[in-house]
Amino acid sequence: MFATPDESHRGSPDDSPDPRNRPAGCPLPGIVAAFTPRLAEFAFEPGFTAAVDQHAAELRELLNDQGPGLLPRPLDREELSDYALGFLDALAEIGWREPVGYDYAVHRLTAICWLVRQDGLLAV
């Protein structure tokens, strides 16, 4: 969300400090661009991997992705996009900046990135 000159913080899903100033559209490409590098950390950070997996599971449950017979249905891009917009808005309200390490928001945004990639939600 916010880029700072301080190297203790990394860039974020978009360059605008206020999500209301972002161009209209889906936030998912920006989240994927910003958090795909975090997926490489799965190879050497099992705790991070587990946390992201839990967040992904919570998101699937939250977005009610069960179909008939309790079989998982693919995530809906629009539903995940709406959730991501709300989450980014909440982060903007509290002035969140992406830390070098991990926090709840990093776990959640990385999980969104993972789900987008896993479910092919950016494919046209």
Side-chain angles (χ1 to χ4, degrees), residues 4-118:
T4 66
D6 178 0
E7 290 195 9
S8 67
H9 294 83
R10 292 179 7 148
S12 61
D14 63 73
D15 294 326
S16 174
D18 185 343
R20 292 173 293 254
N21 295 333
R22 285 192 303 258
C26 180
L28 300 180
I31 292 171
V32 169
F35 287 88
T36 292
R38 293 271 189 175
L39 300 179
E41 297 172 34
F42 287 1
F44 55 90
E45 292 287 344
F48 177 57
T49 305
V52 170
D53 183 55
Q54 288 299 310
H55 279 266
E58 288 173 10
L59 286 168
R60 285 192 179 281
E61 185 175 325
L62 178 68
L63 298 174
N64 193 24
D65 72 331
Q66 289 183 329
L70 301 178
L71 297 174
R73 69 170 170 86
L75 284 174
D76 181 75
R77 178 181 174 161
E78 187 174 328
E79 288 175 359
L80 186 58
S81 180
D82 287 347
Y83 173 84
L85 280 172
F87 190 70
L88 292 172
D89 285 345
L91 292 177
E93 286 178 19
I94 64 169
W96 178 81
R97 295 176 187 253
E98 184 181 354
V100 172
Y102 311 113
D103 65 2
Y104 180 90
V106 168
H107 292 145
R108 194 61 126 197
L109 291 167
T110 305
I112 290 170
C113 171
W114 187 14
L115 290 170
V116 167
R117 292 170 52 97
Q118 185 178 42

Side-chain angles (χ1 to χ4, degrees), residues 77 120-124:
R77 178 181 174 161
L121 298 179
L122 294 184
V124 179

